[in-house]
């Protein structure tokens, strides 16, 4: 679950006035607190527009039993809900770590103006969060992936795309 903007968040921010970027400092403080609390992984994200935090979230994968509950995804969902738009045009995403492949996909679909991240994917791998295998799987043909991907009923599924193309009021994304 995302942490709603405007809701007080308890963490030690005594050093924030001595850092160059208070938004990243806030995200890092949230990630540290989340790791210490045991609610999820050591990751947090903020969505900021016009120097205002629109949404903030922490990783809740283990407490929510949801492998998609990454901080970036939750922050994007909350920001889009608040802004009532599926695009984050005019926004910046602050992530405490270089986004994983899933989060990277969500970021590209949300289209923020830019992403700022602190730790690298190598830093995450050193802590036990290694996404390199997923990147390798993406590059493989579907039939050669570790988890079998079997094309099934393609012709029937194309009906959904035909229905989409027939709509004159569709909102392209």
């Amino acid at each position: 679950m995302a942490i709603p903007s405007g809701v007080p968040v308890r963490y030690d921010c005594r050093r924030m006035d001595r850092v160059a970027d208070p938004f990243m400092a806030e995200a890092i403080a949230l990630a540290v607190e989340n790791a210490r609390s045991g609610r999820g992984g050591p990751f947090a994200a903020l969505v900021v527009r016009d120097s205002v935090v629109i949404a903030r979230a922490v990783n809740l994968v283990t407490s929510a039993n949801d492998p998609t509950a990454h901080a970036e995804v939750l922050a994007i969902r909350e920001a889009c809900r608040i802004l009532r738009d599926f695009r984050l045009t005019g926004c910046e995403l602050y992530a405490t770590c270089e986004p994983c492949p899933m989060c990277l996909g969500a970021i590209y679909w949300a289209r923020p103006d830019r992403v700022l991240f602190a730790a690298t994917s190598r830093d995450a791998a050193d802590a036990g969060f290694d996404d390199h295998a997923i990147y390798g799987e993406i590059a493989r043909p579907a039939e050669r992936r570790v988890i079998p991907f079997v094309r099934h009923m393609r012709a029937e599924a194309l009906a959904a795309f035909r229905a989409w193309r027939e709509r004159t009021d569709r909102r392209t994304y």
Side-chain angles (χ1 to χ4, degrees):
M1 175 183 272
I3 301 166
S5 54
V7 172
V9 177
R10 296 176 194 266
Y11 51 84
D12 184 359
C13 59
R14 289 174 281 187
R15 297 188 59 228
M16 283 185 158
D17 60 341
R18 294 185 294 206
V19 297
D21 189 334
F23 297 120
M24 188 61 81
E26 179 179 351
I28 292 168
L30 286 168
V32 169
E33 192 279 326
N34 198 56
R36 288 182 177 150
S37 76
R39 285 188 306 269
F43 306 98
L46 305 176
V47 175
V48 176
R49 180 188 267 175
D50 298 326
S51 297
V52 174
V53 176
I54 303 299
R56 56 177 60 86
V58 294
N59 178 289
L60 296 175
V61 169
T62 56
S63 61
N65 293 315
D66 179 354
T68 69
H70 289 206
E72 297 92 333
V73 170
L74 296 176
I76 288 168
R77 287 177 184 163
E78 181 67 5
C80 289
R81 185 190 67 76
I82 289 168
L83 297 172
R84 302 177 108 172
D85 196 344
F86 58 85
R87 292 185 200 110
L88 294 179
T89 307
C91 296
E92 297 176 322
L93 179 91
Y94 287 80
T96 57
C97 189
E98 187 174 357
C100 75
M102 177 183 68
C103 294
L104 188 62
I107 289 164
Y108 272 92
W109 282 112
R111 297 177 179 91
D113 288 0
R114 71 178 181 159
V115 175
L116 297 94
F117 67 93
T120 67
S121 61
R122 180 78 258 154
D123 297 326
D126 291 345
F129 300 92
D130 193 352
D131 300 325
H132 290 93
I134 297 171
Y135 282 110
E137 286 292 293
I138 291 169
R140 288 182 187 196
E143 65 277 1
R144 293 189 52 221
R145 293 182 181 150
V146 171
I147 297 173
F149 279 66
V150 180
R151 189 176 325 174
H152 187 62
M153 296 182 68
R154 177 178 178 259
E156 293 82 353
L158 292 176
F161 292 116
R162 284 191 298 275
W164 173 255
R165 281 192 305 269
E166 290 169 4
R167 291 189 60 98
T168 57
D169 64 339
R170 69 182 179 263
R171 222 172 137 200
T172 304
Y173 60 96

